[in-house]
């Protein structure tokens, strides 16, 4: 919740009475012009009664502007988002609260909040008299089908007199940010056949000691079990040493998101690129929930700010914060200017990455070969290929293909390299594709096992 400071008392504004006169409404200006015209006519015609009418018409808007300008009440405003992070296509509610912190009741207040046009129309509210020390609360809803970060505010308050002759606008300086994250699809906890190192229940253990002579002791820490004291090392180093206990080795997963502008066609919430971003978000959340150390990697070789060398750890108190950081990154991710996936390959070349899940756009033969070589650095590899030709044909923009398309050729090359690769049709469900990948991987490993026994 963001709280704006009290609106400044009008007499503290710079510009003096000129500010108040600039706030005259159409009605106020009309009264003033009519009064001046009547006064001139009265002077020319020598009509004293008409002069009185002219003075009344001219003085009324000036009096209203002066009274409104010198009003001493002060108000404070606050805004609260519920929630502050919302998936694309879902609604968030914005709560506004106005507090009269002065000793005088207010007049009619018109409240307006600035919002980007993609979130809907600009909300306006009319607040009747607010007693001294009183408060008023209003709310409105915002919704966006496009992910991103959208500023809300600053809040504007319009003060008006009872006759509608003058309006003065007060703006608060603070604003809030609504983060619209990609849609996240709940995935089933499948267990891919041919489970490789780094994929499974989320945890593997490796013993840190192989025998009494190979033990690597460490210094004693308060609370260590005295039965683990290593007396030979204690005598050697002159201080109490204990055997290291089994160290858990967390399963790792890297989600590769291809953001190349040349790899996707179209734009908007139903485009292939938005499907890839939503799929990556769903996969990251799914793997975090299963206890994996998760890393998000793009074609440029960049990752989430604050991410460790092994990614974000799941099954911990920080997993929700890690998911939030990744969602915030995906909320604003956009196309890159790169034409290749070499930067991502250089990052993955460092060692075994566990499970590798890739969301890819169009691939030529060179890039398909590069993706194929990434398989050697992972325990398991699954690719979701979003072929622009397939999406264009299904939307009617292209006629049916006569022979093997570039996307089918890329799938064949990935299969030959050991990937579990699937083509993503327009409007496909990631849940169904995830199960299909499970069946495809299971059939592939079963076939390999049968061939080995023959």
């Amino acid at each position: 919740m963001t709280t704006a400071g009290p609106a400044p008392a009008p007499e503290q504004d710079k510009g003096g009475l000129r500010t108040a006169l600039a706030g005259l409404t159409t009605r106020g200006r009309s009264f003033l012009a009519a009064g001046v015209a009547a006064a001139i006519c009265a002077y020319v015609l020598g009509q004293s009664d008409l002069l009185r009418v002219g003075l009344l018409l001219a003085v009324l808007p000036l009096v209203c502007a002066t009274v409104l300008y010198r009003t001493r009440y002060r108000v404070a405003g606050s805004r609260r988002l519920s929630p502050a992070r919302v998936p694309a296509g879902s609604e968030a509610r914005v709560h506004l609260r106005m507090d009269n912190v002065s000793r005088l009741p207010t007049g009619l207040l018109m409240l307006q909040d600035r919002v980007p046009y993609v979130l809907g129309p600009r909300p306006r509210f009319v607040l009747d008299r607010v007693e001294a020390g009183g408060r008023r609360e209003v709310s409105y809803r915002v919704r966006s089908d496009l992910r991103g970060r959208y500023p809300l505010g600053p809040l504007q308050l319009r003060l008006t007199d009872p006759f509608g002759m003058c309006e003065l606008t007060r703006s608060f300086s603070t604003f809030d940010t609504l983060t619209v994250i990609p849609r996240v699809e709940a995935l089933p906890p499948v267990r891919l056949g041919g489970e490789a190192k780094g994929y499974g229940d989320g945890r593997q253990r490796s013993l840190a000691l192989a025998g009494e002579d190979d033990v690597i002791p460490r210094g004693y820490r308060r609370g260590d079990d005295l039965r683990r004291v290593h007396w030979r090392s204690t005598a050697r180093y002159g201080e109490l040493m204990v055997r290291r206990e089994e160290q858990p080795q967390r399963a790792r997963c890297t989600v590769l998101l291809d953001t190349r502008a040349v790899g996707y066609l179209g734009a908007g919430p139903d485009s292939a690129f938005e499907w890839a971003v939503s799929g990556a978000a769903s996969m990251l959340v799914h793997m975090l929930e299963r206890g994996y150390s998760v890393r998000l990697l793009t074609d440029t070789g960049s990752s989430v700010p604050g991410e460790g060398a092994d990614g974000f750890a799941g099954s911990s108190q920080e997993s929700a914060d890690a998911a939030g950081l990744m969602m915030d990154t995906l909320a604003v991710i956009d196309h890159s200017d790169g034409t290749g996936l070499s930067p991502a390959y250089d990052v993955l070349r460092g060692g075994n990455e566990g499970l590798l899940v890739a969301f890819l756009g169009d691939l030529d033969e060179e890039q398909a070969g590069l993706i194929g070589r990434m398989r050697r650095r992972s325990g398991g590899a699954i690719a979701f290929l979003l072929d622009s030709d397939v999406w264009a044909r299904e939307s009617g923009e292209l006629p049916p293909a006569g022979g093997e398309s570039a996307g089918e050729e890329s799938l064949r090359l990935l299969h030959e390299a050991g990937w579990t690769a699937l083509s993503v049709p327009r409007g496909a469900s990631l849940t169904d594709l995830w199960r299909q990948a499970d069946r495809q991987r299971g059939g592939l490993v079963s076939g390999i096992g049968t061939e080995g026994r023959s």
Side-chain angles (χ1 to χ4, degrees), residues 8-29:
E11 71 275 11
Q12 294 177 348
D13 287 352
K14 297 180 180 181
L17 190 58
R18 184 183 304 174
T19 303
L21 294 178
L24 288 176
T25 62
T26 302
R27 179 184 300 178
R29 295 177 187 273

Side-chain angles (χ1 to χ4, degrees), residues 220-240:
Y220 174 82
R221 299 172 185 169
R222 185 175 180 179
D224 286 339
D225 190 350
L226 292 177
R227 290 174 295 182
R228 291 174 36 237
V229 173
H230 192 255
W231 297 108
R232 183 180 301 177
S233 299
T234 299
R236 179 184 303 173
Y237 294 105
E239 60 176 324
L240 201 58

Side-chain angles (χ1 to χ4, degrees), residues 167-376:
E167 286 184 357
L168 293 181
T169 301
R170 296 289 181 264
S171 294
F172 297 95
S173 60
T174 58
F175 63 91
D176 289 276
T177 301
L178 175 68
T179 303
V180 181
I181 63 176
R183 295 183 180 93
V184 175
E185 191 173 345
L187 301 180
V190 302
R191 184 185 183 93
L192 294 179
E195 172 182 302
K197 182 179 179 181
Y199 193 86
D201 295 333
R203 292 182 182 273
Q204 296 179 352
R205 289 183 175 272
S206 59
L207 293 179
L209 78 98
E212 185 70 17
D213 296 331
D214 299 326
V215 67
I216 303 177
R218 62 168 174 83
Y220 174 82
R221 299 172 185 169
R222 185 175 180 179
D224 286 339
D225 190 350
L226 292 177
R227 290 174 295 182
R228 291 174 36 237
V229 173
H230 192 255
W231 297 108
R232 183 180 301 177
S233 299
T234 299
R236 179 184 303 173
Y237 294 105
E239 60 176 324
L240 201 58
M241 307 291 290
V242 297
R243 297 184 181 90
R244 294 180 183 270
E245 47 186 9
E246 292 181 356
Q247 301 296 325
Q249 180 179 347
R250 190 181 299 276
R252 301 170 61 184
C253 175
T254 299
V255 177
L256 173 62
L257 176 60
D258 181 9
T259 64
R260 297 171 300 137
V262 297
Y264 301 91
L265 291 179
D270 297 327
S271 64
F273 179 67
E274 292 301 322
W275 195 99
V277 174
S278 177
S282 303
M283 192 62 60
L284 290 169
V285 172
H286 175 68
M287 290 302 175
L288 274 175
E289 291 176 349
R290 295 197 62 184
Y292 280 70
S293 291
V294 180
R295 178 170 64 169
L296 172 63
L297 184 65
T298 67
D299 57 292
T300 61
S302 60
S303 57
V304 180
E307 187 179 88
D310 294 333
F312 290 105
S315 295
S316 65
Q317 296 180 353
E318 293 80 14
S319 62
D321 296 335
L325 287 174
M326 291 183 176
M327 293 301 104
D328 289 344
T329 300
L330 290 175
V332 297
I333 200 168
D334 202 355
H335 289 294
S336 67
D337 298 330
T339 58
L341 297 159
S342 299
Y345 176 75
D346 294 338
V347 174
L348 295 175
R349 196 166 50 182
N352 194 321
E353 297 297 326
L355 179 66
L356 176 60
V357 183
F359 294 86
L360 306 170
D362 294 336
L363 300 175
D364 54 24
E365 185 176 354
E366 179 183 358
Q367 298 305 316
L370 186 64
I371 292 292
R373 293 194 295 273
M374 292 181 183
R375 172 67 179 85
R376 306 171 187 173

